């Protein structure tokens, strides 16, 4: 650990980070980012980058690739380890900037900022782990082995809702395995990602190895996906954009990985610990105002405990703290922007129109900040919009079921397959759930959201495409396998 990273770190410039320099967009254009809790408050003026900026970033990454990929993995790991130290010295600053720019309640923003250090540390340690397999040749017994080599310049496109964790869990594996990176941060949350770049800069990452470009999807994301020197794209975001990115990337022969939306069910069996189940339903559906890909969108409750569960969840909603995300007690903060706010309010109206019964919430709470009251529906038809489409806000629905067969069948009846939970104290429904539930992340007696850094993360069905992220699973996407027949 170098002493320098323990000094008070500088704020990141509100600029792109290209070839080791903080610089404005080539065009000089900028856009203003406002605080969703107090929309009149300006968070900062950020570069509205375009194709020129992407081209410069890709060229810098391509030039840096030979040197970076040939460094010993331990040297690359040392950069990530120092960056983890730098992140830890500024967790509070990163968290409060995250809260200001995208409205995540401070208590969750702190956890996310701290998690970046854990992600960097986990991937720093990849330097010491095996990456190939050793065999013998059939005819001679001579050496035969596999190598995992870096791909080259990779393009990373990230959403605003986990503005620290997702840029970290894409860039750290890309870097440790020897790739160089062009990271396109979400326009709604650039400042948090810039902190990560600043930490890597302080940690001594060589110029051009990591490049960060800020701007709109069509102006930065599209040229990045199309650039001939970008060999792989890792994307997290919405289904519609993800499909477009996959088409653009695959038709150019690029490797592509998508992490998309979810419609995550929570199943409550009659024998469940009701207190824990209610708490998990509340947290899963409403923390971060439901703006998580893994948020709980449907809650299936077994008939004998349905009424009791509904009352207890309504009581919990009544006691939940909704409001200023900068208050460390706040559980439910604002929606990220006015467009998303209106989309959520429209979806609530549509839910009512389609016959859903509103049990709580359903309206905006504040004339200034973009707050929506935690919203609970029941009597929503299985084929209604609320049961099938991702409404990216604090909106969830209750469904009554009789048997585990019925619960699993209905819970699986969506295009998504990201995360799912069951609450039960019995092994039989647990066994059915872990074997039959169509989701990449399964929770038994814990909420649908939340992910450890050292294990695979990702969805199946319409929620994902390509290898999973995080943990050792990341090796699959960020390296290519070659087989070496080595005779003496
Ligand atoms: P989004 O799809 O609007 O944007 C994601 C990123 O893609 C942004 O950086 C955006 O600027 C960029 N982009 C937009 N148009 C593009 C284009 N044409 N070409 C290339 N890039 C383009 O998503 P969002 O609103 O930022 O994030 C919310 C969505 O992300 C939700 O659907 C949520 O479920 C999903 N999400 C999924 C995961 C997961 O791991 N499965 C995690 C977090 C969020």
């Amino acid at each position: 650990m170098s002493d320098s990273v323990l000094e008070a770190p500088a704020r990141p410039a509100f600029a792109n980070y290209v070839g080791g320099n903080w610089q404005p967009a080539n065009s000089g254009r900028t856009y203003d980012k406002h605080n969703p809790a107090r929309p009149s408050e300006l968070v900062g003026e950020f570069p509205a980058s375009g194709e020129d900026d992407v081209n410069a970033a890709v060229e810098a990454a391509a030039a840096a690739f030979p040197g970076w990929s040939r460094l010993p993995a331990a040297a690359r790991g040392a950069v990530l380890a120092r960056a983890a130290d730098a992140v830890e010295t500024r967790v509070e600053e990163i968290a409060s900037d995250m809260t200001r720019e995208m409205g995540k309640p401070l208590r969750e923003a702190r956890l996310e900022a701290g998690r970046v250090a854990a992600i960097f540390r986990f991937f720093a340690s990849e330097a010491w782990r095996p990456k190939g397999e050793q065999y013998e040749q059939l005819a001679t017994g001579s050496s035969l082995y596999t190598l995992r080599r870096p791909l080259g310049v990779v393009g990373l496109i990230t959403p605003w809702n986990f503005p620290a964790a997702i840029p970290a869990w894409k860039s750290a594996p890309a870097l440790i395995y020897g790739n160089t990176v062009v990271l396109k941060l979400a326009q709604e949350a650039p400042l948090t990602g810039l902190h990560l770049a600043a930490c890597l800069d302080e940690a001594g990452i060589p110029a051009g190895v990591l490049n960060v470009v800020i701007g709109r999807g069509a102006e930065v994301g599209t040229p990045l996906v199309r650039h001939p020197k970008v060999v792989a794209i890792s994307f997290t975001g919405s289904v519609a954009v993800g499909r477009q990115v996959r088409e653009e990337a695959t038709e150019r022969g690029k490797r592509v990985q998508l992490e998309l939306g979810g419609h995550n069910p929570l199943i409550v069996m009659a024998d469940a610990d009701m207190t824990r189940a209610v708490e998990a339903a509340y947290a899963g559906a409403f923390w971060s105002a439901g703006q998580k890909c893994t948020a709980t969108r449907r809650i299936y409750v077994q008939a004998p405990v349905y009424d009791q569960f509904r009352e207890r969840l309504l009581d919990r909603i009544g006691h939940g703290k909704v409001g200023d995300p900068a208050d460390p007690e706040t559980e439910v903060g604002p929606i990220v922007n006015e467009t998303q706010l209106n989309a959520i309010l429209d979806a609530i109206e549509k839910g009512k129109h389609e016959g859903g019964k509103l049990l709580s919430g359903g309206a905006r709470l504040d004339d200034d900040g973009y707050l929506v009251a935690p919203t609970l529906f029941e009597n929503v038809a299985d084929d209604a919009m609320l049961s099938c489409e991702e409404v990216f806000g604090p909106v969830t629905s209750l469904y009554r079921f009789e048997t585990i067969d019925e619960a699993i069948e209905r819970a699986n009846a969506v295009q998504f397959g990201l995360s799912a939970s069951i609450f039960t104290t019995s092994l039989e429904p647990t066994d059915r759930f872990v074997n039959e539930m169509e989701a990449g992340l399964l929770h038994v007696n814990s909420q649908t959201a939340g992910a450890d850094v050292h294990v695979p993360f990702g969805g199946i069905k319409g929620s994902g495409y390509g290898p999973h992220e995080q943990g050792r699973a990341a090796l699959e996407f960020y390296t290519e396998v070659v087989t070496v027949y080595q005779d003496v």
Side-chain angles (χ1 to χ4, degrees):
M1 192 195 317
S2 100
D3 290 343
S4 61
V5 296
L6 294 177
E7 286 170 10
R11 283 184 71 79
F14 293 178
N16 291 329
Y17 180 67
V18 177
N21 300 310
W22 297 99
Q23 57 191 52
N26 199 27
S27 65
R29 286 193 305 133
T30 60
Y31 71 95
D32 290 344
K33 177 72 195 95
H34 294 265
N35 180 343
R38 280 176 288 280
S40 56
E41 181 189 313
L42 182 70
V43 174
E45 199 179 74
F46 294 89
S49 311
E51 190 165 357
D52 288 357
D53 303 293
V54 171
N55 291 344
V58 173
E59 289 305 332
F65 177 70
W68 179 249
S69 58
R70 282 185 209 132
L71 271 185
R76 298 195 295 263
V79 172
L80 286 177
R82 288 194 298 270
D85 295 338
V87 168
E88 271 168 355
T89 65
R90 61 206 297 171
V91 161
E92 278 303 312
E93 195 188 349
I94 297 171
S96 85
D97 279 346
M98 192 187 312
T99 297
R100 270 193 326 127
E101 72 173 350
M102 51 70 75
K104 182 166 297 199
L106 189 58
R107 43 191 248 142
E108 286 195 81
R110 284 174 171 152
L111 293 174
E112 186 179 336
R115 184 166 151 198
V116 170
I119 291 168
F120 282 177
R121 289 229 162 78
F122 174 84
F123 285 106
S125 307
E126 272 295 275
W128 305 325
R129 298 192 189 111
K131 287 173 201 70
E133 290 167 347
Q134 179 75 39
Y135 304 83
E136 280 186 6
Q137 292 184 39
L138 290 182
T140 60
S142 296
S143 189
L144 174 59
Y145 57 95
T146 60
L147 277 181
R148 282 196 172 263
R149 298 197 306 212
L151 305 173
V153 179
V154 299
L156 312 179
I157 301 178
T158 56
W160 52 265
N161 67 331
F162 281 94
I166 295 178
W169 85 44
K170 290 188 192 299
S171 54
L175 294 170
I176 190 66
Y177 301 131
N179 303 282
T180 54
V181 168
V182 178
L183 168 63
K184 184 239 172 280
L185 295 171
Q187 213 190 355
E188 288 295 342
L191 180 51
T192 307
L194 289 179
H195 276 292
L196 270 52
C199 290
L200 283 157
D201 183 71
E202 286 168 29
I205 196 163
V209 170
L210 172 80
N211 305 275
V212 181
V213 185
I214 295 164
R216 293 187 50 219
E219 290 168 6
V220 176
T222 303
L224 181 60
V225 174
R226 291 180 180 167
H227 198 295
K229 289 190 182 168
V230 174
V231 294
I233 295 287
S234 178
F235 170 90
T236 299
S238 61
V239 171
V241 176
R243 286 193 178 140
Q244 201 180 327
V245 165
R246 180 174 57 192
E247 270 172 38
E248 296 262 15
T250 49
E251 79 187 17
R252 289 169 174 79
K254 298 178 188 213
R255 185 178 284 221
V256 61
Q257 171 186 57
L258 307 177
E259 287 298 342
L260 307 174
H263 206 293
N264 313 294
L266 179 151
I267 298 171
V268 182
M269 302 300 292
D271 66 357
D273 177 329
M274 241 4 95
T275 304
R276 286 174 64 197
V278 167
E279 196 54 39
Y282 182 85
F286 302 128
W287 281 1
S288 289
Q291 297 170 108
K292 295 181 186 174
C293 50
T294 49
T296 305
R297 307 282 178 216
R298 292 167 292 148
I299 305 169
Y300 294 92
V301 186
Q302 204 164 19
V305 294
Y306 182 92
D307 292 343
Q308 182 203 141
F309 183 91
R310 178 181 53 196
E311 292 324 303
R312 290 183 66 171
L313 182 56
L314 284 169
D315 183 60
R316 179 65 179 86
I317 290 171
H319 288 93
K321 179 129 197 234
V322 186
D324 180 1
D327 175 343
E329 302 292 314
T330 294
E331 293 177 282
V332 183
I335 304 306
V336 70
N337 60 30
E338 196 170 7
T339 308
Q340 287 291 327
L341 171 84
N342 290 330
I344 293 162
L345 295 174
D346 287 351
I348 291 170
E349 285 313 306
K350 188 166 181 198
K352 290 195 280 189
H353 186 70
E354 288 187 342
K357 181 177 168 200
L358 194 60
L359 296 176
S360 85
R364 186 172 179 178
L365 277 180
D366 184 337
D367 290 341
D368 187 26
Y370 304 135
L371 287 174
V372 173
T375 298
L376 182 65
F377 278 93
E378 70 175 355
N379 295 345
V380 177
D382 282 1
D383 61 353
M385 178 272 302
L386 286 177
S387 301
C388 308
E389 288 172 33
E390 184 185 52
V391 176
F392 214 56
V395 181
T396 195
S397 308
L398 282 174
Y399 306 81
R400 191 189 300 260
F401 74 90
E402 301 289 340
T403 64
I404 183 71
D405 301 72
E406 179 198 341
I408 290 178
E409 189 183 335
R410 291 170 70 192
N412 276 337
V414 290
Q415 58 154 327
F416 297 107
L418 184 54
S419 165
S421 291
I422 191 168
F423 274 75
T424 181
T425 47
S426 301
L427 279 178
E428 201 267 333
T430 301
D431 187 63
R432 296 284 309 277
F433 175 83
V434 300
N435 284 295
E436 296 172 33
M437 201 56 230
E438 295 166 359
L441 303 161
L442 298 178
H443 294 264
V444 179
N445 295 321
S446 58
Q447 58 157 308
T448 56
D452 277 353
V453 303
H454 59 302
V455 287
F457 177 93
I460 58 176
K461 293 165 73 179
S463 291
Y465 179 82
H468 285 350
E469 302 198 83
Q470 291 212 116
R472 294 225 82 205
L475 184 63
E476 199 59 45
F477 184 75
Y478 290 105
T479 61
E480 62 193 3
V481 178
V482 295
T483 306
V484 183
Y485 293 80
Q486 188 167 304
D487 291 354
V488 275

